[in-house]
């Protein structure tokens, strides 16, 4: 008998329904302020890092996480969204800032955290600049799970071997790439799946931050001649052989270690992956803030990624989730998180385990840098989905960028038309 292929959306929804039936929690808030908190995350690989924090949270607030990690983003999103329509809403879960979070807030599905933010700001645990991503109609929702800055990692021995210093201008970065390429070394890492947006993000924001922000609000079209010109620069770089095999299945951390490419544009959480691959921070690899493409910009744009920890409004563990969220903002929690994950701490009073990351956090906080939302969070989901596909196709087969941009713009037109 022939098997029937189940559409992905149906399969995902069915899997989410089965998972909901097997999980506990939900219903009226039980008011508990200590105990085991059900935690769901789309970062399955980070599950051991979250578990490592239990010793600290049990000591500080008598709360431990029971973590369930998902590696399939579509299944995770379906599970979380379906949970809101049942009595199984999670006490704590990870999500995305930007339009995805705004949608949950508009529907009254996540708990308000205004008081937690007020305390954190008053205590000097967090700056006002990050608050905006969590503010809707003057109130705050969720708290930052982490903060990551998108920078350029590089293979330090390769740079030293070829006499390349950390570039401080875009011209110097181009010169470094040309020198590496001339020596038979691929300058940059690139992939045609999921993380297809970093170089587009870097080129657009580094050319004109207002142009970049306009894409997120619909004020700028993807077919704008300025965007087309930027894409042509990207194509020229690809045709020059500056990027790695986009279809390679080699882990990017391993690829950097073995010299498959010399540089990779990634979030500052990548330190953990590089350390796990056996590279030593400051010896085998280092990082630098990517210079602006446009030398006339007064400030250097730096992409910031902040993933939220949210509490479901109708969860039976709402009080417990909010207690944990308040603790998460504290110096002790962020010190423990930095040690477990090897990441930048958003709390300036926390101790950052890696000196390189501590220096990065101090650097980008300076007045000479302009922080902007990462493309993945800044872009409305329907547009993002199409854009990631089209960037991936462009990376796999570079050519005239206009057809790719027209496809993205068609989705953008439909989305903004629906917004009224």
């Amino acid at each position: 008998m022939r098997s029937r292929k189940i559409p992905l959306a149906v399969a995902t929804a069915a899997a989410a329904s089965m998972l909901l039936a097997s999980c506990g929690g939900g219903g009226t808030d039980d008011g508990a302020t200590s105990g085991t908190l059900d935690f769901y995350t789309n970062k399955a690989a980070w599950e051991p890092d979250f578990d490592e924090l239990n010793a600290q949270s049990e000591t500080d607030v008598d709360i431990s996480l029971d973590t369930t990690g998902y590696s399939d983003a579509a299944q995770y999103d379906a599970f979380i969204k379906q949970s809101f329509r049942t009595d199984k809403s999670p006490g704590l879960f990870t999500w995305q800032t930007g339009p995805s979070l705004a949608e949950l807030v508009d529907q009254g599905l996540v708990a308000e955290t205004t008081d937690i933010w007020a305390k954190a700001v008053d205590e000097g645990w967090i700056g006002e600049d990050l608050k905006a991503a969590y503010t809707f109609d003057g109130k705050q929702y969720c708290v930052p799970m982490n903060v990551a800055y998108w920078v350029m990692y590089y293979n330090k021995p390769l740079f030293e071997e070829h006499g390349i210093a950390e570039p401080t201008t875009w011209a110097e970065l181009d010169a470094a790439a040309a020198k590496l390429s001339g020596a038979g070394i691929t300058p940059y890492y690139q992939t045609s799946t999921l993380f297809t947006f970093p170089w587009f993000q870097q080129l657009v924001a580094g050319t004109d931050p207002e142009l970049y922000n306009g894409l997120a609000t619909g004020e700028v079209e993807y077919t704008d001649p300025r965007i087309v010109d930027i894409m042509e620069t990207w194509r020229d770089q690809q045709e020059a052989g500056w990027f790695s095999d986009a279809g390679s299945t080699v882990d990017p951390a391993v690829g950097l270690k073995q010299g498959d490419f010399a540089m990779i544009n990634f979030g500052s959480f990548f330190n953990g992956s590089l350390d796990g691959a056996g590279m030593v921070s400051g010896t085998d690899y280092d990082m630098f803030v990517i210079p602006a493409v446009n030398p006339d910009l007064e400030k250097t744009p730096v992409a910031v990624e902040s993933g939220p920890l949210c509490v479901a409004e109708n969860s039976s563990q709402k009080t417990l989730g909010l207690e944990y969220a308040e603790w998460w903002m504290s110096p002790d929690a962020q010190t423990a998180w930095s040690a477990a994950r090897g990441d930048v701490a958003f709390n300036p009073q926390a101790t950052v385990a890696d000196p390189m990351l501590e220096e990065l956090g101090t650097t980008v906080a300076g007045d000479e840098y302009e922080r902007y939302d990462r493309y993945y969070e800044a872009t409305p989901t329907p547009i993002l989905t199409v854009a990631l596909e089209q960037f991936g196709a462009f990376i796999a087969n570079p050519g005239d960028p206009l057809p790719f941009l027209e496809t993205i713009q068609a989705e953008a037109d439909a989305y903004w038309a629906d917004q009224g």
Side-chain angles (χ1 to χ4, degrees):
M1 184 176 74
R2 292 178 62 186
S3 61
R4 182 169 62 93
K5 185 175 181 180
I6 301 174
L8 176 61
V10 175
T12 298
S17 297
M18 289 189 287
L19 286 163
L20 277 169
S22 65
C23 69
T28 304
D29 181 13
D30 62 17
T33 58
S34 64
T36 302
L37 176 61
D38 294 329
F39 172 51
Y40 297 87
T41 177
N42 54 355
K43 301 183 183 301
W46 295 14
E47 192 168 337
D49 303 321
F50 287 113
D51 291 343
E52 190 174 326
L53 263 67
N54 281 341
Q56 186 71 43
S57 63
E58 287 170 358
T59 298
D60 292 350
V61 289
D62 197 19
I63 301 174
S64 62
L65 297 181
D66 181 7
T67 305
T68 301
Y70 290 76
S71 55
D72 185 298
Q75 186 184 84
Y76 178 78
D77 285 3
F79 165 74
I80 293 297
K81 289 179 178 178
Q82 287 193 40
S83 77
F84 294 128
R85 298 193 294 270
T86 72
D87 63 353
K88 309 294 185 183
S89 297
L92 193 70
F93 65 97
T94 57
W95 202 242
Q96 304 86 37
T97 52
S100 294
L101 180 56
E103 179 183 345
L104 300 189
V105 172
D106 288 344
Q107 296 175 32
L109 299 173
V110 291
E112 184 182 339
T113 56
T114 302
D115 291 344
I116 293 175
W117 275 90
K119 176 182 177 180
V121 172
D122 287 346
E123 294 283 350
W125 292 353
I126 198 164
E128 289 279 0
D129 58 339
L130 191 58
K131 188 177 176 179
Y134 295 82
T135 301
F136 302 87
D137 294 328
K139 299 177 181 179
Q140 285 73 55
Y141 297 84
C142 310
V143 298
M145 179 195 69
N146 72 324
V147 171
Y149 303 109
W150 281 66
V151 296
M152 190 72 81
Y153 285 88
Y154 65 94
N155 183 306
K156 195 167 184 178
L158 278 180
F159 266 48
E160 291 174 348
E161 179 183 346
H162 294 279
I164 299 172
E166 290 187 359
T168 59
T169 66
W170 190 261
E172 289 177 358
L173 181 60
D174 276 351
K179 188 171 187 178
L180 288 163
S181 182
I185 299 167
T186 300
Y188 302 117
Y189 166 82
Q190 187 166 256
T191 178
S192 59
T193 58
L194 186 58
F195 287 107
T196 61
F197 65 88
W199 206 238
F200 175 82
Q201 164 186 278
Q202 192 65 45
L203 289 173
V204 178
T207 299
D208 184 349
E210 291 187 8
L211 182 68
Y212 174 84
N213 292 331
L215 290 175
T217 61
E219 298 172 85
V220 173
E221 295 188 349
Y222 282 84
T223 52
D224 186 297
R226 294 169 293 178
I227 300 295
V228 176
D229 286 346
I230 288 168
M231 290 288 287
E232 288 176 345
T233 296
W234 188 7
R235 178 187 60 187
D236 291 344
Q237 292 174 337
Q238 292 190 80
E239 291 178 347
W242 283 11
F243 294 95
S244 63
D245 176 7
S248 173
T249 57
V250 176
D251 182 277
V254 174
L256 187 69
K257 178 182 180 180
Q258 60 193 24
D260 293 348
F261 44 86
M263 292 178 277
I264 177 170
N265 178 14
F266 225 84
S268 52
F269 52 81
F270 195 53
N271 278 45
S273 298
L274 294 172
D275 295 343
M279 298 187 79
V280 177
S281 171
T283 300
D284 299 321
Y285 73 90
D286 212 323
M287 65 168 72
F288 58 88
V289 176
I290 305 172
V293 179
N294 180 0
D296 294 329
L297 293 181
E298 293 183 1
K299 297 185 177 183
T300 300
V302 182
V304 179
E305 172 190 355
S306 176
L309 283 176
C310 300
V311 177
E313 174 64 28
N314 67 340
S315 172
S316 66
Q317 294 190 316
K318 176 182 175 181
T319 298
L320 190 63
L322 290 173
E323 287 283 335
Y324 191 90
E326 182 175 334
W327 170 78
W328 184 265
M329 301 278 265
S330 72
D332 286 346
Q334 285 304 294
T335 295
W337 175 247
S338 178
R341 178 63 202 158
D343 206 347
V344 175
F346 59 74
N347 188 321
Q349 297 177 20
T351 300
V352 178
D354 190 327
M356 179 188 295
L357 292 174
E358 183 175 25
E359 181 182 355
L360 173 65
T362 302
T363 297
V364 298
D367 292 338
E368 63 269 38
Y369 295 94
E370 177 180 359
R371 293 160 291 282
Y372 66 91
D373 291 338
R374 186 178 72 146
Y375 182 82
Y376 198 93
E377 285 75 34
T379 307
T381 302
I383 303 173
L384 174 68
T385 301
V386 174
L388 295 179
E389 293 172 350
Q390 291 304 305
F391 293 153
F394 178 74
I395 289 168
N397 293 290
D400 181 1
L402 191 56
F404 301 98
L405 295 172
E406 288 174 337
T407 300
I408 303 172
Q409 187 57 42
E411 183 62 34
D413 289 339
Y415 174 82
W416 295 116
D418 286 344
Q419 302 310 299

